[in-house]
Amino acid sequence: MKRIDFLEELESMGFKVKVPREVLQELKDLKRDNKTSREVRAMIDIAFQLFDGKKVKKMKLGGRTVDHGLIERGREGFYIATLDKGIKVKVPNRVVISGAKSGVSVERD
């Protein structure tokens, strides 16, 4: 299976990739949760390695919840990359990671 370096692909498209601090905290909390599977914990570790290795900038979202903050930023014009369907339908600009063959695409409403 071909792996996608979606951060590199987005940067080559002219995007400046940032990760919300609140999302990073959610990942840390999820990793500490005893109900989280080993597989998910391994994926979280890979995400942190990827973000650290690429030196991805962090940003603060604000908002009542992480989802609310992402939706608000999306409505302000930020492109949001998420797998959460509830967020995807509420933001006009989305980054979609389709799969190993198709790579990354950008959608605008």
Side-chain angles (χ1 to χ4, degrees):
M1 177 191 316
K2 177 187 162 200
R3 294 181 185 232
I4 301 171
D5 185 341
F6 66 91
L7 294 176
E8 187 174 300
E9 195 166 332
L10 287 169
E11 288 170 352
S12 74
M13 296 168 84
F15 288 95
K16 291 183 180 13
V17 179
K18 295 181 181 181
V19 178
R21 294 181 188 282
E22 295 89 339
V23 169
L24 295 174
Q25 187 59 52
E26 272 192 352
L27 290 173
K28 288 177 187 174
D29 293 344
L30 186 60
K31 186 176 174 188
R32 278 185 249 152
D33 188 337
N34 291 332
K35 297 175 189 165
T36 303
S37 71
R38 250 185 355 176
E39 182 179 308
V40 170
R41 286 183 186 156
M43 287 188 275
I44 292 169
D45 286 339
I46 291 168
F48 278 113
Q49 288 172 9
L50 185 63
F51 297 147
D52 290 343
K54 296 282 185 177
K55 297 192 178 6
V56 174
K57 294 188 189 233
K58 285 124 185 116
M59 64 181 281
K60 190 159 178 68
L61 277 178
R64 296 183 305 266
T65 65
V66 175
D67 289 5
H68 181 263
L70 288 169
I71 291 165
E72 287 301 310
R73 291 294 178 134
R75 289 178 177 161
E76 291 171 7
F78 284 77
Y79 282 80
I80 304 296
T82 182
L83 298 174
D84 186 309
K85 290 179 184 174
I87 295 172
K88 279 194 231 182
V89 298
K90 293 180 181 175
V91 296
N93 302 319
R94 295 171 296 279
V95 174
V96 179
I97 300 167
S98 310
K101 291 184 180 170
S102 36
V104 175
S105 64
V106 175
E107 296 178 354
R108 297 174 182 94
D109 286 344

